[in-house]
Amino acid sequence: MESTHIHIPLHEGQYYHVYNRGNDGITIFYEERNYSYFLKKYDEYLSDVLEMYAYCLLPNHFHLLVRVKDFPSFETGAPALESLKLPSSKERTAENIVSELFRRFLMSYSKAINTQQNRKGSLFQKNFRRVHVDNEGYFTTVISYLHSQMKHHGFKTKDEDYPWSSYRRMLLERPSKLQKEYVLEWFGGKEEYIKFHLMNHSFHEIKKYIIEE
């Protein structure tokens, strides 16, 4: 199952639940500033090719719900794309471009953390995992699943109190690259969004899609 989650191809216009963790489960976020730095580096490397719909960052792993942008956006003059040179054997497909930018993003973040912690070696597992979000029910439920990660892992923090998921940011009235309007409209507005998250979901219906074991 794990290898299947590694090799699922990335296609333009499609949604994916992306996950990765520290190598052998090690910590990847040591200080509060590391979380914001991670999001900053994600924006730098990937916001030109991916749209973000939800996320949750935890001490030793992260979850993202993203959509691969339509291919014309891959040909813009965005800095991350201008410097992108793929090996001669690789075509400029959505899969190859996003995977390479994701690799560079995690390498850049890892380098900063290794310097901060005076450590060496791999910070993340070699390949990030991804699942194709191929139906509306999964899209709806996975957003709540990502936002409930603290509870899922045994922490007592409420969804609305955890600062490093997109739950609260969805409700803030300020510009963001996070696809807030789309998500809130998907749930039927802020009140319905909040109400859905307050429901006691078992997540049984998406068990086969969960990729963090």
Side-chain angles (χ1 to χ4, degrees):
M1 179 67 74
E2 185 173 278
S3 61
T4 301
H5 288 144
I6 293 172
H7 298 295
I8 289 175
L10 300 169
H11 296 295
E12 58 183 300
Q14 298 298 304
Y15 296 85
Y16 297 89
H17 174 192
V18 175
Y19 164 89
N20 206 353
R21 65 177 178 176
N23 197 25
D24 293 324
I26 63 173
T27 297
I28 58 175
F29 300 110
Y30 290 86
E31 302 175 11
E32 287 293 296
R33 62 178 176 149
N34 297 154
Y35 293 95
S36 56
Y37 183 74
F38 179 91
L39 294 173
K40 176 183 176 183
K41 299 306 286 185
Y42 168 89
D43 182 46
E44 178 182 332
Y45 281 91
L46 288 161
S47 63
D48 290 316
V49 295
L50 297 178
E51 293 173 342
M52 178 87 80
Y53 288 79
Y55 67 84
C56 188
L57 315 181
L58 290 103
N60 69 349
H61 69 281
F62 66 83
H63 291 267
L64 310 173
L65 176 58
V66 299
R67 175 186 175 273
V68 180
K69 291 185 177 182
D70 296 327
F71 202 83
S73 69
F74 286 48
E75 303 302 324
T76 66
L81 295 174
E82 285 183 347
S83 62
L84 182 62
K85 293 182 180 179
L86 295 171
S88 57
S89 60
K90 299 246 184 184
E91 298 178 4
R92 283 182 69 87
T93 62
E95 164 67 26
N96 291 337
I97 290 173
V98 174
S99 293
E100 176 61 19
L101 290 174
F102 223 106
R103 185 187 71 83
R104 295 185 184 191
F105 156 53
L106 295 181
M107 282 184 60
S108 177
Y109 179 80
S110 298
K111 183 178 179 180
I113 294 300
N114 282 353
T115 299
Q116 173 187 293
Q117 298 300 123
N118 192 27
R119 68 177 301 277
K120 296 181 180 180
S122 300
L123 182 65
F124 292 98
Q125 287 183 319
K126 184 177 180 181
N127 297 292
F128 67 92
R129 279 64 178 159
R130 56 272 187 102
V131 172
H132 184 204
V133 180
D134 56 1
N135 65 76
E136 294 183 354
Y138 180 32
F139 182 87
T140 302
T141 308
V142 78
I143 291 175
S144 180
Y145 173 71
L146 265 61
H147 290 158
S148 68
Q149 282 297 296
M150 294 300 287
K151 186 191 305 178
H152 180 71
H153 289 282
F155 295 92
K156 296 186 182 298
T157 305
K158 295 180 180 179
D159 298 348
E160 61 267 29
D161 293 334
Y162 187 60
W164 300 113
S165 85
S166 52
Y167 177 86
R168 291 198 310 193
R169 295 200 177 192
M170 292 288 181
L171 303 172
L172 296 178
E173 298 286 350
R174 66 185 186 194
S176 171
K177 291 182 180 179
L178 182 66
Q179 301 295 308
K180 296 188 295 186
E181 290 186 8
Y182 183 96
V183 171
L184 292 176
E185 288 179 8
W186 179 269
F187 282 93
K190 287 185 179 181
E191 290 185 6
E192 292 301 317
Y193 168 84
I194 294 170
K195 187 184 299 182
F196 187 87
H197 282 74
L198 290 175
M199 294 169 63
N200 188 24
H201 300 287
S202 68
F203 302 116
H204 176 74
E205 63 268 39
I206 65 168
K207 185 177 180 180
K208 67 178 181 179
Y209 295 112
I210 295 176
I211 51 179
E212 59 184 282
E213 287 81 1

